[in-house]
Amino acid sequence: MSEQYKSREERRKLQTQKTEKKKKNKIHKSAPLWKKILLSLLAIGIVGMVAGGITFAAIVAGAPKLDDKKLKDSFSSIIYDMNGNEITEFGQVKRTYVPYDDIPKVLEEAVLATEDARFYEHNGIDIIRLGGALVANVQEGFGAEGASTITQQVIKNSLLTTDKTISRKVQEIWLAFQLEQKYSKQEILEMYLNKIYFPGNIYGVAQAAESFYGKELSELELHEAAMIAGMPQSPNNYNPRTNPENAEKRRNIVLSLMAQHGFITEAEADEAKKIPVQSTVIEPTEKANSYHAFVEEVIEEVKEKTDIDAGSAGLKIYTTLDPKAQETVEDVLNGDSIDFPDDKMQAGITLLDTKTGEIRAIGGGRNQPVGGYNYATDTRRQPGSTIKPVLDYGPAIEHLQWSTSEPIVDEPYTYSDGTTINNWDRKYKGQMSIRDALADSRNIPALKALQAVGLEKAQEFAQGLGIPLPEIYEPYAIGGFSHGVSPLQMAGAFSAFGNNGIFIEPHAVKKIVLSDGTEIDLAPEPKEAMSDYTAFMVTDMMKSVVEYGTGKSVQIPGVNIAGKTGTTNFSTEDKEKYDVPSGASKDAWFVGYNPNYTAAVWTGYNISKDSEKVYLTSEDQRLARAMFKEVFSEIAGDDTSDFKQPDSVVKKYIEKGSKEPVLASEYTPSNMVTEEYFVKGTEPTKESKKYVKVKPDKPSSLSVNYDQVTNSISLNWGYDEGALENVSFEVSQSVDGGQYQVVSTSKNMGYAIADVTPGATYSFRVVAVSDEDNSNRSGTASTKIQVPKAENDVPVLPDEEENQSDEGSENENENGNGNSNENENGSSNGNNEENGNNNGNGNGNGNGNGNDNGNTENNDGTQTEDGQNNDGTETQPPVDVEIPLDINGTNEEEEQEN
């Protein structure tokens, strides 16, 4: 039994073992799937690593080798003008190399806090910073944010291009590791601090300390060291001389970073922040040469677009500079052609190529030192009325398809919030076209145009022309900006109007060539900023500004100039503070262009508590226009090119003063006709009915008398008193049947002739002529008289009914005895035969619509005078429409726009 049990137990145990074995076998059979997944991932990883390694190896194989000379030395760059001729070499002169041991701790800490706080902890790459940059690049696209350490910046500035590509970044990382292996941290920091670029063509911290503070590095105070550390990120924007407000903000950020990273205390940072950024900055002393302002723009442009310090990279820089234009601009600013009121008045000039946006010349200011303020590129002043084409009329034509004759009412008006807006002359001109409103720089029509198109569309339009408008308000319509604009920006915007609506960002650099021969094209791409019809129509309106408006003093014979004047006012507070007289302005502008050149000129004063004078008198305000004319006369004085009308625009002759544009009729007086442009398909088709040619009444009761005592003949006639003010009377005379000659045109209702010839027959015609249109004439009143041959003779007069010429036909009988019958109603009949039997009809009046026997004879025997057809109907000469407009009251010398 026990044996059986044992066997049973053994069998059970054996069965259990078999079951477990089967389970194990099942588990073993499912394992290969997971293994395959794991093995696949492992294989992919290995392949990726191998591929990545191969790619990395290939990329770093193309990396340049570490070169001690390039790492430690700066290489000057050469600048070429628009023709490829070298104009200057720069980068080595203003550089004082300083070893690490001479760099004060406060400056080192300021730089580390700003640029690379973990510099002494990493091996060339800051992983934490790199991770943050990777997140930003994934979210915003590659190149959105950098993570370069000081080590990487040394590599980038000395050995590599600045392209934001993966391969360039890989090479930079690889070389940074190598640099850290070869050099100490102190040596790397020394390389960096001696290559930093500062405004004014300055390189290295030692030269910066001397140039900005007149000090050795060891003498720098905390706030000064923080400013030097903060400037290199954007040298011109953070220049304490030219942009003190931005510079102070940047310096305070550096101080906060120093406190954050434990280099200084919060109390020390706060104390340093209280010191005005300009308090210890010294004035530059070196006199700038004629190319200096342009060269500084080149350096800044290369830095902004490539992050390369041009003064240390050994570049070949091909620019857009026109040497002749640059010299002209400098002569105008600093020469004798313009009589400036004093040495403190400043000006900035930018000259562009209208078609390409290339900067031909930059006038940075009057008597500016090296590193001084650049009034052509850096200044930000309110544009005044120069903004009206950009922000008001341009958008209205673009989006509303207004014509150049769009009627607009100049009347008492307010902004939407109820604030009153005034014109510069405090007057109103009623209904006018937008052409005339722009020509006379009216503020109220400009605001109405902005309101009509809407703030948002106007803002987008201006931004498309390179005018930075982060916000917009109604006072912007007349140039009341919160943040101003530069002459460079205004020239760029206006050049698009002259370039068929294509905006090309103003630029000074076409391309650069690196030391290894790599070329980088820096010319911006053209962008369509508006329709060609907008560009042409706004341009034509601005031609009127120069032809008869506020800018007429810039006219150059034969040169087609479009442009706009602008002045700005002081606030009420500033007027009182600086004792500004009536009629004075804060800024004066002129921006103008022809098909080939665009120039923007700003004039004004720096305003500070120490300023003796801060305003422009009415006389001073003319100088912006005078400077423009001087530059343009020299550069484009023989340029007769004109703007081409596009197919999208049609020209029509419009009658002035109508509520809606209507075509001028044949009866519209020439001084009421204007030539205007319309977007094709919007032009008017309705002809004016305002001027209907109503023929003046014929003079009545014409009488003729001979005075034997004085031997003279007198004529007298009557006329409706109510119509006298609108007509004049033309008297024609014929002697003995000869040609009629006009002997008098006046408003008198009488005429006398003395010393008449005895025995002669005098014939007279009198016609009423419209004062508005001398082709509009009445019928002819006529009479005649024969002077006696002797004292006892009686003068021969026409019959009584022949003198009564106020009714339909006039008959003058003439025969061999001195009596005649002349028909004046345009036809002859059987009663007007003369001796000799002249056959035919005598047609004509005083303007060619009267009767005259003896004038031109036609083939059929009829006779006509000029201006009347053979059938007696009148013909009209064509209406003369080439009459320039006249804006009453325009005084360019007194323009004061709000």
Side-chain angles (χ1 to χ4, degrees):
M1 218 31 201
S2 60
E3 188 176 291
Q4 185 179 6
Y5 176 78
K6 182 178 180 181
S7 300
R8 189 177 298 164
E9 287 294 323
E10 288 176 352
R11 284 198 302 269
R12 186 178 293 125
K13 186 176 180 181
L14 182 63
Q15 186 66 36
T16 301
Q17 289 175 348
K18 289 180 178 179
T19 302
E20 290 176 355
K21 189 175 182 180
K22 286 180 179 179
K23 288 181 179 179
K24 287 181 180 180
N25 287 338
K26 287 182 180 180
I27 293 172
H28 179 73
K29 288 179 181 178
S30 61
L33 178 60
W34 292 100
K35 283 185 177 181
K36 287 180 181 179
I37 293 174
L38 292 173
L39 288 172
S40 296
L41 291 174
L42 182 60
I44 291 171
I46 293 172
V47 170
M49 290 177 64
V50 172
I54 294 172
T55 303
F56 180 81
I59 291 174
V60 299
K65 294 181 180 181
L66 295 180
D67 186 325
D68 288 352
K69 189 171 181 62
K70 288 184 177 180
L71 289 167
K72 294 185 177 181
D73 294 340
S74 293
F75 294 88
S76 61
S77 295
I78 301 174
I79 292 183
Y80 301 89
D81 65 17
M82 61 182 288
N83 301 313
N85 299 318
E86 180 180 337
I87 58 171
T88 189
E89 182 176 358
F90 70 99
Q92 288 183 322
V93 178
K94 292 187 182 179
R95 180 173 175 267
T96 302
Y97 198 93
V98 57
Y100 174 78
D101 291 340
D102 292 341
I103 297 171
K105 203 66 178 174
V106 65
L107 179 60
E108 177 181 347
E109 291 172 347
V111 171
L112 294 179
T114 307
E115 297 292 339
D116 191 355
R118 286 179 287 275
F119 175 68
Y120 285 105
E121 300 169 15
H122 60 66
N123 293 316
I125 304 298
D126 188 340
I127 301 299
I128 296 174
R129 211 167 158 193
L130 181 62
L134 285 173
V135 172
N137 289 333
V138 168
Q139 293 175 342
E140 303 175 29
F142 184 75
E145 183 176 313
S148 296
T149 63
I150 286 177
T151 310
Q152 289 174 269
Q153 291 185 55
V154 171
I155 292 294
K156 178 179 62 178
N157 292 334
S158 302
L159 303 173
L160 299 174
T161 68
T162 57
D163 296 338
K164 290 187 176 182
T165 61
I166 294 176
S167 61
R168 202 271 304 169
K169 198 68 178 177
V170 170
Q171 290 180 346
E172 181 185 299
I173 293 171
W174 170 251
L175 291 172
F177 275 122
Q178 287 189 314
L179 189 67
E180 292 270 350
Q181 298 300 313
K182 186 173 181 179
Y183 297 96
S184 68
K185 288 286 187 180
Q186 291 76 14
E187 288 175 312
I188 294 171
L189 186 60
E190 179 183 304
M191 296 174 191
Y192 176 74
L193 293 176
N194 280 287
K195 283 201 168 191
I196 300 175
Y197 168 74
F198 293 90
N201 197 16
I202 296 166
Y203 294 88
V205 292
Q207 189 66 40
E210 181 181 341
S211 176
F212 283 94
Y213 299 107
K215 295 180 178 181
E216 298 289 334
L217 279 175
S218 59
E219 300 173 328
L220 288 176
E221 299 175 35
L222 172 59
H223 70 97
E224 295 167 337
M227 188 68 261
I228 287 178
M231 261 190 278
Q233 186 184 72
S234 183
N236 280 5
N237 286 334
Y238 299 140
N239 186 338
R241 289 192 182 114
T242 59
N243 289 306
E245 186 176 342
N246 288 344
E248 190 159 309
K249 290 178 181 177
R250 177 62 177 166
R251 182 205 63 181
N252 292 346
I253 289 173
V254 174
L255 291 168
S256 295
L257 288 171
M258 292 179 73
Q260 177 185 325
H261 292 294
F263 294 122
I264 60 175
T265 65
E266 290 288 350
E268 288 174 321
D270 291 340
E271 191 67 24
K273 289 177 183 178
K274 294 177 183 178
I275 302 173
V277 74
Q278 288 183 306
S279 61
T280 55
V281 174
I282 64 173
E283 290 294 323
T285 57
E286 183 182 348
K287 185 76 168 62
N289 60 36
S290 52
Y291 297 134
H292 188 79
F294 191 92
V295 169
E296 284 202 343
E297 177 63 21
V298 167
I299 295 170
E300 182 69 14
E301 195 171 302
V302 170
K303 178 69 175 175
E304 287 181 355
K305 292 184 177 181
T306 69
D307 204 24
I308 293 176
D309 289 332
S312 62
L315 306 176
K316 291 182 178 179
I317 306 174
Y318 293 88
T319 75
T320 62
L321 177 72
D322 180 344
K324 178 185 176 183
Q326 185 65 44
E327 290 173 8
T328 297
V329 167
E330 288 295 326
D331 286 345
V332 169
L333 284 169
N334 302 309
D336 299 326
S337 60
I338 302 294
D339 187 15
F340 291 98
D342 54 55
D343 291 336
K344 297 295 184 181
M345 181 178 173
Q346 275 298 345
I349 304 175
T350 299
L351 180 70
L352 302 181
D353 184 304
T354 303
K355 294 184 175 69
T356 65
E358 294 181 349
I359 302 173
R360 295 292 179 233
I362 294 176
R366 298 184 59 229
N367 305 310
Q368 288 296 87
V370 173
Y373 195 85
N374 190 325
Y375 290 94
T377 61
D378 296 337
T379 191
R380 297 293 183 270
R381 303 293 282 252
Q382 291 185 343
S385 289
T386 58
I387 205 63
K388 291 173 181 176
V390 174
L391 209 54
D392 307 329
Y393 300 114
I397 292 174
E398 176 72 12
H399 295 289
L400 305 178
Q401 295 192 334
W402 280 7
S403 72
T404 57
S405 66
E406 177 72 22
I408 201 161
V409 180
D410 183 22
E411 61 187 347
Y413 202 64
T414 66
Y415 293 101
S416 296
D417 65 0
T419 303
T420 300
I421 177 175
N422 294 307
N423 290 313
W424 59 267
D425 58 359
R426 297 295 196 273
K427 297 177 182 178
Y428 311 101
K429 293 193 172 183
Q431 180 173 301
M432 61 198 316
S433 68
I434 60 172
R435 177 192 294 278
D436 290 351
L438 181 62
D440 196 33
S441 204
R442 313 306 289 174
N443 288 340
I444 291 163
L447 173 59
K448 288 185 174 184
L450 176 65
Q451 290 174 335
V453 73
L455 294 176
E456 184 177 347
K457 284 187 172 63
Q459 181 183 22
E460 291 174 357
F461 189 88
Q463 288 173 336
L465 294 176
I467 302 298
L469 284 183
E471 72 285 321
I472 184 173
Y473 307 100
E474 285 188 350
Y476 283 28
I478 57 175
F481 282 22
S482 301
H483 306 286
V485 292
S486 68
L488 180 65
Q489 291 169 330
M490 290 304 296
F494 273 53
S495 67
F497 289 114
N499 193 30
N500 300 313
I502 304 301
F503 173 73
I504 303 176
E505 181 185 1
H507 56 285
V509 182
K510 293 187 281 189
K511 69 175 182 178
I512 62 174
V513 180
L514 306 184
S515 57
D516 64 358
T518 303
E519 287 192 10
I520 302 177
D521 185 0
L522 297 185
E525 293 294 323
K527 298 178 181 178
E528 184 177 344
M530 69 189 87
S531 303
D532 58 359
Y533 63 76
T534 301
F536 178 80
M537 290 163 68
V538 171
T539 293
D540 199 71
M541 289 167 61
M542 283 199 277
K543 286 175 72 174
S544 295
V545 173
V546 176
E547 288 169 3
Y548 61 83
T550 57
K552 60 187 177 184
S553 64
V554 307
Q555 291 176 7
I556 302 171
V559 181
N560 294 291
I561 299 173
K564 186 68 190 77
T565 55
T567 58
T568 66
N569 292 337
F570 287 90
S571 65
T572 302
E573 180 183 351
D574 283 345
K575 283 183 179 179
E576 296 177 358
K577 183 177 180 181
Y578 298 109
D579 193 23
V580 177
S582 176
S585 67
K586 187 176 183 180
D587 309 275
W589 293 79
F590 189 82
V591 188
Y593 57 98
N594 80 341
N596 293 310
Y597 293 98
T598 301
V601 181
W602 166 87
T603 56
Y605 284 88
N606 282 324
I607 300 176
S608 68
K609 62 181 180 180
D610 299 325
S611 299
E612 295 180 4
K613 178 186 176 184
V614 298
Y615 57 82
L616 299 170
T617 65
S618 58
E619 191 76 17
D620 299 339
Q621 293 163 33
R622 305 176 190 177
L623 296 179
R625 285 167 273 166
M627 294 167 71
F628 174 91
K629 185 173 183 178
E630 283 288 327
V631 171
F632 241 63
S633 295
E634 184 65 28
I635 301 303
D638 57 355
D639 184 355
T640 60
S641 60
D642 202 356
F643 305 96
K644 184 178 179 182
Q645 179 180 330
D647 293 337
S648 58
V649 174
V650 294
K651 179 173 69 175
K652 294 293 181 181
Y653 295 109
I654 304 301
E655 186 173 279
K656 294 181 187 177
S658 53
K659 290 184 177 180
E660 294 182 0
V662 293
L663 301 175
S665 71
E666 63 176 314
Y667 304 118
T668 304
S670 59
N671 65 335
M672 293 301 294
V673 178
T674 177
E675 182 183 283
E676 302 290 356
Y677 291 96
F678 296 80
V679 179
K680 184 175 287 186
T682 68
E683 65 272 20
T685 56
K686 182 180 178 182
E687 190 175 276
S688 172
K689 303 292 185 183
K690 181 177 181 180
Y691 296 95
V692 178
K693 199 159 192 175
V694 178
K695 203 170 185 178
D697 291 336
K698 187 167 55 178
S700 62
S701 305
L702 176 63
S703 63
V704 58
N705 294 290
Y706 172 70
D707 187 331
Q708 191 170 7
V709 175
T710 61
N711 191 34
S712 63
I713 297 173
S714 61
L715 289 174
N716 291 282
W717 58 88
Y719 206 78
D720 180 7
E721 290 186 4
L724 276 175
E725 61 178 337
N726 299 319
V727 298
S728 297
F729 299 101
E730 181 183 280
V731 180
S732 300
Q733 169 187 299
S734 169
V735 180
D736 290 334
Q739 185 94 15
Y740 274 93
Q741 303 287 338
V742 175
V743 292
S744 172
T745 301
S746 71
K747 287 188 170 290
N748 298 326
M749 288 188 289
Y751 174 72
I753 177 174
D755 297 326
V756 294
T757 304
T761 299
Y762 288 82
S763 300
F764 300 95
R765 292 176 173 175
V766 182
V767 177
V769 181
S770 170
D771 291 336
E772 291 185 355
D773 180 5
N774 61 13
S775 68
N776 191 10
R777 307 160 74 88
S778 72
T780 305
S782 63
T783 188
K784 63 167 53 176
I785 187 171
Q786 185 177 16
V787 180
K789 293 180 180 179
E791 290 186 6
N792 296 327
D793 288 345
V794 178
V796 179
L797 297 173
D799 295 337
E800 183 178 351
E801 63 271 16
E802 293 165 8
N803 285 319
Q804 303 303 315
S805 54
D806 54 332
E807 297 297 334
S809 63
E810 300 158 351
N811 298 311
E812 190 170 33
N813 297 317
E814 180 174 292
N815 53 38
N817 297 322
N819 296 321
S820 67
N821 194 359
E822 181 175 324
N823 187 297
E824 292 290 340
N825 67 352
S827 63
S828 63
N829 53 42
N831 296 324
N832 71 337
E833 283 188 12
E834 297 184 13
N835 293 337
N837 296 321
N838 289 331
N839 296 322
N841 297 326
N843 302 324
N845 63 22
N847 70 337
N849 298 328
N851 297 326
D852 186 15
N853 296 325
N855 285 331
T856 306
E857 181 173 347
N858 297 316
N859 294 334
D860 60 356
T862 62
Q863 296 173 327
T864 66
E865 292 187 2
D866 293 340
Q868 182 163 347
N869 298 322
N870 294 337
D871 60 358
T873 61
E874 296 178 349
T875 63
Q876 296 293 330
V879 177
D880 178 14
V881 294
E882 298 297 324
I883 302 297
L885 298 175
D886 180 30
I887 300 298
N888 295 324
T890 296
N891 187 340
E892 63 173 281
E893 317 300 351
E894 298 176 358
E895 179 183 8
Q896 298 294 320
E897 297 121 338
N898 291 327

